[in-house]
Amino acid sequence: MKASRIAAAAAVAGTAVLTLSAPAFAHVSVQPEGTAAKGGYAVVDFKVPNERDDSSTTEVEVTFPADHPLASVMPEPLAGWKVKVTKSKLDKPLTLHGEKIDEAVTKVTWTADGKGIEPGYFQKFPLSVGALPEDTDQLVFKAIQTYSDKEVVRWIEVPQEGQAEPENPAPVLELSAATGDHHGASTAEDASDKSEGKAGGKNETTAADEDAKGGSDTTARVLGVVGIVIGVAGVAYGVLAGRRRTA
């Protein structure tokens, strides 16, 4: 009986590890290409996964933070997508390169004029942005994802430090310390060069299993395999012990 209980416990432990190693729920995120330094410029990618099995993502809308407006926002051309940049007047003008700026980008919308993001794939939407603010460590963007069946998913919940991640978190761009030249690692010119070097701006839709390259997923897989081995070993031990008692 003791051997059987040990085997059962091991099997349960293996199942628990497998459950914990399941991939995290994918959501819209934003990451810089290189660094996003305070006071400088950067090229950032909004990564949008398709989470549905029977419909495609046909529109992505990203709203920019009103408390830290960005005067310069330049989208990169993407085959299969139309882009619209919306600007609004600022209550308090900005000073950029010695010039007064009285309006800033408040929203960027990408609309598919082809298949969009099909099930099992994700898409990166690059933007050259700046100048990044110097008085905050992060920028929060709110995103709205629309599917071909008219379903709308709002990625607008602001993550709070010390609390569990919300169900629909808003994309958050972490800012690094200001660089000496105050221009960061990427500029608007970098975005243009990068765009020209992408085989005529072909669509960069990529298989969703790209996420498996992350170190956290590798660790989770290792833990899952260890759990399976422990569970199988426990079951085998219990079976052998039972046979010995029967003999």
Side-chain angles (χ1 to χ4, degrees):
M1 290 294 293
K2 183 177 180 181
S4 298
R5 286 197 297 269
I6 292 175
V12 171
T15 301
V17 172
L18 285 175
T19 300
L20 291 174
S21 65
F25 192 70
H27 52 75
V28 176
S29 61
V30 59
Q31 292 292 334
E33 295 185 9
T35 60
K38 298 178 181 179
Y41 290 77
V43 174
V44 299
D45 294 327
F46 286 90
K47 182 179 178 182
V48 182
N50 190 324
E51 300 177 315
R52 301 295 179 264
D53 298 327
D54 55 358
S55 60
S56 298
T57 295
T58 55
E59 185 174 277
V60 176
E61 178 184 294
V62 174
T63 300
F64 283 65
D67 54 344
H68 294 99
L70 299 176
S72 176
V73 176
M74 297 175 59
E76 178 180 337
L78 287 177
W81 294 86
K82 295 182 295 183
V83 59
K84 178 182 178 181
V85 179
T86 302
K87 295 184 178 182
S88 299
K89 290 288 185 179
L90 295 175
D91 295 332
K92 183 179 180 180
L94 300 173
T95 300
L96 184 64
H97 301 310
E99 296 184 5
K100 289 287 186 179
I101 305 297
D102 61 358
E103 66 177 11
V105 172
T106 53
K107 183 169 60 177
V108 177
T109 305
W110 291 269
T111 304
D113 56 11
K115 295 182 179 179
I117 310 174
E118 297 180 87
Y121 290 82
F122 72 86
Q123 173 75 51
K124 288 183 179 180
F125 297 88
L127 292 174
S128 174
V129 299
L132 297 172
E134 300 181 65
D135 57 350
T136 184
D137 294 325
Q138 63 181 26
L139 291 177
V140 178
F141 300 86
K142 296 185 178 182
I144 298 177
Q145 181 178 11
T146 303
Y147 286 89
S148 55
D149 61 359
K150 306 305 179 183
E151 178 188 5
V152 175
V153 181
R154 301 178 184 277
W155 303 97
I156 61 174
E157 299 177 71
V158 181
Q160 301 297 327
E161 186 176 356
Q163 298 182 14
E165 184 178 74
E167 183 177 354
N168 295 99
V172 178
L173 177 65
E174 301 292 340
L175 304 182
S176 60
T179 59
D181 61 7
H182 229 50
H183 283 81
S186 303
T187 63
E189 289 77 13
D190 295 332
S192 298
D193 293 341
K194 183 168 67 65
S195 175
E196 292 173 0
K198 286 193 174 181
K202 290 184 179 180
N203 194 317
E204 284 196 357
T205 300
T206 312
D209 59 2
E210 178 75 11
D211 288 344
K213 293 181 180 179
S216 60
D217 287 346
T218 300
T219 301
R221 288 184 176 182
V222 172
L223 290 175
V225 172
V226 171
I228 293 174
V229 172
I230 292 174
V232 171
V235 172
Y237 179 79
V239 171
L240 290 174
R243 289 180 177 177
R244 287 174 183 172
R245 290 198 307 274
T246 301

